[in-house]
Amino acid sequence: MAQTKTGWEARIMAQLAQREVRVATVARVIQSYNRLAGKVGEYASHSRTVEARSRELQGEHERMFESFQYGAPIGGGGGGGMQGTSLAQQRIADLEREVEGLKDERTLLYRTQGTNAQRLLDLSDKMRETDAQMRQQELEIDGSHEALRRAEGKLGDLQATLKEKDGTIQILQDEMSALQLEIVQLEERCGRLQGENDELVKRWLKKMNEEAQKVNDVTHELELIRRKSAALSPRMGTAVFEDDQFFGLSPLSARGGGSVAPRQAVGKIDARMEELHSIALSRNGELLAVGGHSTTVKVFDAATGDSVYSLTGCLKGVNHVEISADGSMLLAASSDNTARIWKLDTGRHWKSLTGHIGSVVTAKFSTDAARVFTYSQDRTVKVWDVQRGLCVKTLFTVSSCHDIDVLDSAGARIVTAHMDNSIRVWDSASGKKLREAAIHKEQVMSVCANRSGTRILTNSCDGTLKFVDAATLDVLTVMSAAGYRPSRNWARASLSPDERFAMAGSIDGKLYVWDVNSGDLVRSLDVHKSPVCDALWDPTGARVYSAEKSRYIMILQ
């Protein structure tokens, strides 16, 4: 089977064929030139013959004319003088016609000779051009031959390399086969170990469930004892401080007139934690949840300060706590990459929301408690189905986030606070970013939406709070105060229930309250000894709970 020629070989063969055509053309031109030169020589010889004959006839004509003029007979004999004269004249006329014919023939020969000379010059020029083209093509052919030799050498090198690679591939295939066999053996071993591990996990979970059940039973018994004791002991009517402990407050009667800006501390709760991070109140104002550096979430009676639950399950500290709107569940965001839910009627752990690969910074219930929204240091917001405990949507925020809040009862829209000085509004179902605005000069530490979801309160490290329209993200009010410096780690701000006041704590332990409509500072309260991490109003707006980083929660009216 003929081997298919490569592109450069085909080009060289085509050039050689063209060269052969040009050489044949030049050979034909040379042959024509030689024939033309022969004809020119013949014409020149004939022309010389004609000129000689013409001169000979001219001489004879002159002699005859002279003889005729002087009466000398031509050919001898005087008797035939008249007849000789007539013959001479006839001869002269014939010679003159022959001379004229020879002159015309000579003129034609000269003209033909000129034409042939011009053609000869043209052919000479064409031959020179053809010779130059042939020399150029010979140079190109020599270059092509040199390239061909280099390509053949390179081809030989590549073939040797290919042969070496084939050997290497064969070795690697042998090694891969051995490794595949080893992988199969390891997979079988891994399967056995996985089965053993699953069995151990089942045994461990069973043991942990048994232990948890025992703890829950004891907690339930303690709760019954506490409630019986509370029923037997009358509550005190005023706030009493003794050894930094909180004993009791008079219950708030139903009151009108909206929220108030607190004026003084009237009570204190010792959370008995090394470091506090977040507090949350139930919608009815009865329960106060506290999360901090401890792995335990503590729940207190907001009116008496008595401990209600100590909720366990987190493996690391708690960054944020939240109580559902119906008061049935408590949600905690933990540094162990997990958010957990407890039932508040029994104090038992109910769900663990796992899926983040970084510390969970904040967690929020939707108003209807059907969804949970969590943000993690892995820069994702996850949407969870509460009943199933499954993640139904993941939003990638790109920029690091500090806080999150919901803008409607179902949590269809959420707002996030970011380190790039911006807040962003998202569609939680599609994961699409709806709006964003860089409204601060430094990172935004918290966002707090009003109950209707039409307004957002932000708090930033630039020392300002801003009241923002949720639909357009336009800033409506700017609030600031001399000396107000929020903590970079825990700097949450809150709105009063009637949206008249905004409140935030400073790193120096002071609590600041502003008028939301005017942006004016209403008052500052120096009630803490360490940075304020969280502060909020109770549902009536008549009482404020303010948590400092180190242990204590102050109650203000």
Side-chain angles (χ1 to χ4, degrees):
M1 182 180 294
Q3 185 177 1
T4 303
K5 291 184 174 62
T6 58
W8 57 267
E9 290 177 330
R11 287 195 298 272
I12 290 174
M13 295 301 294
Q15 290 176 1
L16 289 174
Q18 293 174 1
R19 180 192 175 192
E20 293 297 331
V21 172
R22 291 190 182 96
V23 168
T25 302
V26 170
R28 288 194 297 273
V29 169
I30 292 173
Q31 290 176 1
S32 298
Y33 175 79
N34 292 333
R35 288 195 299 271
L36 181 61
K39 288 183 179 181
V40 169
E42 292 175 0
Y43 287 145
S45 177
H46 185 63
S47 177
R48 286 193 297 271
T49 303
V50 169
E51 287 179 354
R53 179 63 178 167
S54 176
R55 284 193 299 271
E56 182 182 348
L57 291 174
Q58 182 68 29
E60 185 179 352
H61 176 269
E62 289 175 356
R63 288 192 303 272
M64 290 178 67
F65 182 75
E66 288 174 357
S67 298
F68 175 76
Q69 185 175 6
Y70 294 109
I74 301 172
M82 292 300 293
Q83 185 178 0
T85 300
S86 177
L87 292 173
Q89 288 177 351
Q90 181 66 34
R91 179 62 176 166
I92 288 170
D94 293 339
L95 290 175
E96 285 178 352
R97 284 193 298 273
E98 186 174 355
V99 168
E100 290 298 326
L102 291 172
K103 287 181 179 180
D104 292 339
E105 186 176 355
R106 185 181 62 183
T107 301
L108 179 60
L109 289 173
Y110 282 150
R111 187 180 297 116
T112 304
Q113 184 179 7
T115 303
N116 290 336
Q118 184 62 42
R119 289 181 60 189
L120 184 60
L121 291 175
D122 294 341
L123 289 173
S124 297
D125 293 339
K126 188 173 182 181
M127 283 184 64
R128 284 193 294 271
E129 293 176 359
T130 305
D131 289 339
Q133 291 178 357
M134 288 180 64
R135 286 192 295 270
Q136 181 64 30
Q137 289 176 356
E138 287 174 353
L139 291 176
E140 292 178 356
I141 291 172
D142 291 340
S144 299
H145 283 307
E146 181 62 27
L148 177 59
R149 285 193 295 272
R150 290 196 299 269
E152 288 175 347
K154 187 175 181 180
L155 178 61
D157 295 339
L158 291 175
Q159 287 176 342
T161 303
L162 181 61
K163 185 176 181 180
E164 181 180 353
K165 295 295 184 184
D166 289 339
T168 304
I169 290 172
Q170 184 61 44
I171 294 172
L172 291 175
Q173 287 177 343
D174 295 340
E175 293 180 356
M176 186 177 67
S177 299
L179 289 174
Q180 287 176 341
L181 180 59
E182 186 176 352
I183 288 172
V184 171
Q185 295 174 351
L186 289 175
E187 287 178 346
E188 292 176 355
R189 183 181 177 187
C190 182
R192 291 194 299 270
L193 292 175
Q194 185 65 39
E196 294 175 1
N197 181 69
D198 292 342
E199 182 64 26
L200 290 174
V201 169
K202 289 179 182 178
R203 290 167 55 189
W204 178 78
L205 288 174
K206 183 179 179 181
K207 183 67 175 178
M208 291 298 296
N209 288 332
E210 292 174 354
E211 294 293 333
Q213 184 63 38
K214 292 179 181 179
V215 172
N216 289 332
D217 292 342
V218 172
T219 303
H220 185 65
E221 293 296 330
L222 291 175
E223 174 63 16
L224 292 177
I225 294 172
R226 189 197 65 79
R227 291 181 180 177
K228 290 178 181 178
S229 176
L232 294 174
S233 301
R235 293 184 177 179
M236 300 180 64
T238 58
V240 179
F241 293 88
E242 181 177 321
D243 297 331
D244 288 335
Q245 302 296 317
F246 173 80
F247 285 95
L249 288 173
S250 57
L252 292 172
S253 59
R255 56 185 301 281
S259 305
V260 298
R263 294 180 176 274
Q264 61 182 353
V266 296
K268 179 167 62 172
I269 297 176
D270 185 357
R272 293 181 175 84
M273 287 187 186
E274 181 181 350
E275 182 178 299
L276 303 186
H277 295 164
S278 174
I279 60 174
L281 271 171
S282 60
R283 283 288 179 94
N284 58 15
E286 293 180 358
L287 298 178
L288 175 69
V290 183
H293 187 69
S294 171
T295 58
T296 301
V297 178
K298 294 188 177 181
V299 181
F300 297 93
D301 186 307
T304 66
D306 294 335
S307 176
V308 178
Y309 295 121
S310 290
L311 306 177
T312 60
C314 296
L315 303 179
K316 292 184 179 180
V318 176
N319 298 318
H320 187 76
V321 291
E322 172 92 350
I323 297 176
S324 61
D326 60 5
S328 64
M329 294 176 286
L330 185 144
L331 173 66
S334 174
S335 294
D336 63 3
N337 307 349
T338 304
R340 290 176 174 82
I341 302 175
W342 290 265
K343 289 287 190 179
L344 287 179
D345 57 347
T346 62
R348 294 184 177 183
H349 176 264
W350 184 50
K351 298 283 186 183
S352 292
L353 308 179
T354 58
H356 284 293
I357 59 174
S359 175
V360 182
V361 176
T362 185
K364 293 281 185 176
F365 278 112
S366 61
T367 306
D368 58 9
R371 292 283 189 270
V372 163
F373 305 89
T374 59
Y375 175 77
S376 166
Q377 288 179 350
D378 61 12
R379 298 190 181 186
T380 63
V381 173
K382 288 187 179 292
V383 184
W384 306 84
D385 183 294
V386 172
Q387 291 299 321
R388 296 185 297 163
L390 298 177
C391 176
V392 295
K393 191 68 180 179
T394 299
L395 287 67
F396 296 92
T397 62
V398 181
S399 172
S400 294
C401 176
H402 284 299
D403 198 12
I404 188 172
D405 207 352
V406 297
L407 297 178
D408 51 57
S409 61
R413 293 178 301 122
I414 60 175
V415 59
T416 51
H418 293 269
M419 288 183 67
D420 61 1
N421 313 341
S422 302
I423 61 173
R424 294 176 173 85
V425 177
W426 307 80
D427 184 316
S428 64
S430 65
K432 181 181 179 181
K433 180 174 63 179
L434 302 178
R435 289 175 294 281
E436 69 173 311
I439 60 175
H440 285 282
K441 296 180 180 179
E442 295 187 35
Q443 53 186 297
V444 186
M445 302 307 299
S446 73
V447 286
C448 176
N450 63 355
R451 292 189 178 182
S452 63
T454 58
R455 298 289 186 268
I456 302 169
L457 177 67
T458 66
N459 189 16
S460 170
C461 286
D462 62 12
T464 63
L465 283 73
K466 295 188 177 182
F467 200 48
V468 180
D469 187 310
T472 62
L473 299 187
D474 293 334
V475 176
L476 305 176
T477 310
V478 179
M479 293 159 275
S480 62
Y484 172 64
R485 292 186 301 117
S487 168
R488 285 185 177 271
N489 293 326
W490 319 108
R492 293 187 177 93
S494 63
L495 275 172
S496 62
D498 61 1
E499 301 175 24
R500 290 177 56 196
F501 301 106
M503 177 172 56
S506 177
I507 197 171
D508 59 4
K510 290 184 179 180
L511 190 65
Y512 292 81
V513 182
W514 289 270
D515 185 298
V516 170
N517 294 321
S518 66
D520 296 332
L521 179 68
V522 177
R523 66 178 53 91
S524 64
L525 302 171
D526 191 0
V527 294
H528 291 287
K529 297 179 181 179
S530 63
V532 181
C533 64
D534 208 351
L536 45 84
W537 272 273
D538 75 347
T540 66
R543 184 177 292 166
V544 166
Y545 293 82
S546 176
E548 63 182 44
K549 183 178 179 181
S550 58
R551 188 167 180 168
Y552 294 106
I553 302 164
M554 304 301 295
I555 305 176
L556 302 96
Q557 288 182 353

